[in-house]
Amino acid sequence: MLDGKMVSTKVLENIKNESVSFIEKAGRPPGLAVVIVGDDPASAIYVRSKERKAKKLGFRSEVISLGSSVSDEELTSVISRLNKDNNTDGILVQLPLPDGFDTWKYLDMIDPQKDVDRFHPVNLGKIMLGRTNIYPCTPSGVVRMLDEFNIDVSGVNCVVLGRSYIVGKPMASMLTNRNATVTICHSRTKNIPDILSGADMIVSAIGSPGFVKADMVKDGAILIDVGINRVDTREEAEEFCTPQEIEKFKKKGYAITGDIHPEAFKKSSFYTPVPGGVGLMTVAMLMDNTFRLFMERTGS
Ligand code: GUN
């Protein structure tokens, strides 16, 4: 089991130790600004967790909460203020934006040098070309876990499930740049089980509980589960969740599961659990990206 708690703790401790001398030299801490629009409860939880982690590292954390009726001018002016603010190294617009907002318009507006998510077209382009070493947080967390356990993907047949710009596309580029042979599958792909059955490694980021079943995966495959799915019925919990999560369901009325069925993990050589896997890495890599942008901007 690739333990996300262990690796994310290590990443955060490294940042904490490494940052002390750089903060002293720069005369200020790294600054992360998070813009959240509307009242999506899951987004609110994510943003709070980002703020807590940033503060714990001694970073400057600014959260700008805007109502879903915020005007285009107002949101634009918030982003341009942050672009100019010398104490802000990383800017993140929490996604999804409420219905009706032109997401790319605002992501394009973020100064690419402060784009901590790396979703700006300039940065996504650099990732494809292998011309940057700062990556979107979730795929970066996956690679960091592989590195921690010395898993070399060179020549490995990797199937990436999902083609979002948040995970699937940058993940596929990063694995390709590491000499993996990558197949991307998505909602229109035919015969996904056939494609999965030939995979040495599967990275799943589709948000479908237990989608990858044990009979679809090869013995000894590396299984990386990026999905974080909440299930609210006992039937679903019993069908898709680990025994620990089924217990949690009995107490709390909900449980969490990934895209990969727990039975499939039994056939793997390495796997990331849900919860306790890639999810914990995402916030840790966000802090790592913030620190890297700080170092770039302060010339460290
Ligand atoms: N919503 C879900 N994942 C992400 C992410 O990685 N970045 C941002 N900004 N919003 C998200």
Side-chain angles (χ1 to χ4, degrees):
M1 188 186 85
L2 309 181
D3 181 352
K5 178 87 196 157
M6 185 271 279
V7 186
S8 62
T9 302
K10 197 163 162 179
V11 167
L12 292 168
E13 273 171 6
N14 282 345
I15 299 168
K16 180 114 200 166
N17 296 333
E18 239 187 274
S19 61
V20 177
S21 64
F22 292 108
I23 291 173
E24 203 166 294
K25 211 162 75 189
R28 67 168 182 88
L32 173 65
V34 176
V35 180
I36 177 169
V37 182
D39 50 11
D40 180 61
S43 289
I45 292 170
Y46 290 138
V47 168
R48 267 202 300 278
S49 132
K50 290 166 186 178
E51 189 180 23
R52 261 202 311 271
K53 282 279 184 315
K55 286 189 172 155
K56 213 166 154 193
L57 289 172
F59 290 7
R60 179 174 173 275
S61 164
E62 180 179 0
V63 175
I64 297 121
S65 277
L66 303 166
S68 54
S69 61
V70 66
S71 67
D72 172 55
E73 291 75 27
E74 209 174 328
L75 184 50
T76 299
S77 87
V78 165
I79 295 172
S80 62
R81 169 178 74 76
L82 294 170
N83 280 340
K84 290 186 210 116
D85 178 16
N86 259 329
N87 293 319
T88 300
D89 302 290
I91 303 170
L92 179 153
V93 173
Q94 184 64 30
L95 302 174
L97 288 172
D99 287 349
F101 282 81
D102 178 355
T103 301
W104 280 117
K105 173 176 178 175
Y106 302 106
L107 294 184
D108 285 358
M109 227 176 253
I110 297 172
D111 177 349
Q113 293 180 347
K114 293 189 174 188
D115 168 32
V116 73
D117 264 326
R118 309 315 268 177
F119 297 155
H120 191 283
V122 165
N123 290 322
L124 285 173
K126 284 186 177 172
I127 289 161
M128 274 207 83
L129 298 168
R131 286 178 50 186
T132 174
N133 55 8
I134 309 181
Y135 306 98
C137 305
T138 302
S140 184
V142 169
V143 166
R144 181 68 185 74
M145 284 179 105
L146 296 172
D147 285 346
E148 181 69 27
F149 295 92
N150 296 313
I151 299 169
D152 180 6
V153 298
S154 177
V156 167
N157 286 318
C158 294
V159 174
V160 175
L161 288 175
R163 56 175 160 177
S164 73
Y165 60 88
I166 297 178
V167 186
K169 286 195 177 99
M171 185 82 258
S173 284
M174 291 167 75
L175 294 169
T176 305
N177 292 341
R178 289 178 165 232
N179 304 313
T181 302
V182 179
T183 305
I184 304 181
C185 295
H186 48 77
S187 51
R188 305 289 176 89
T189 303
K190 295 186 176 111
N191 293 327
I192 289 180
D194 284 351
I195 298 169
L196 290 179
S197 66
D200 304 315
M201 173 169 150
I202 298 168
V203 181
S204 187
I206 52 175
S208 174
F211 178 88
V212 178
K213 308 273 187 295
D215 62 5
M216 300 176 191
V217 311
K218 198 156 94 173
D219 274 322
I222 300 162
L223 301 179
I224 308 292
D225 198 344
V226 179
I228 302 175
N229 308 300
R230 182 184 156 128
V231 301
D232 293 295
T233 68
R234 192 179 178 120
E235 290 72 34
E236 284 177 305
E238 282 172 357
E239 187 176 351
F240 299 125
C241 293
T242 58
Q244 299 92 294
E245 284 297 305
I246 295 172
E247 283 309 306
K248 193 172 102 189
F249 180 87
K250 288 176 189 161
K251 291 197 195 92
K252 300 194 169 174
Y254 72 92
I256 302 294
T257 189
D259 294 343
I260 303 179
H261 197 280
E263 286 298 314
F265 292 141
K266 294 181 184 164
K267 292 174 75 178
S268 68
S269 53
F270 294 98
Y271 75 95
T272 63
V274 178
V278 177
L280 295 170
M281 294 300 296
T282 299
V283 185
M285 299 319 286
L286 175 65
M287 299 305 134
D288 200 51
N289 282 2
T290 305
F291 180 49
R292 284 163 186 260
L293 295 181
F294 162 80
M295 302 241 278
E296 279 187 3
R297 292 190 66 253
T298 55
S300 304

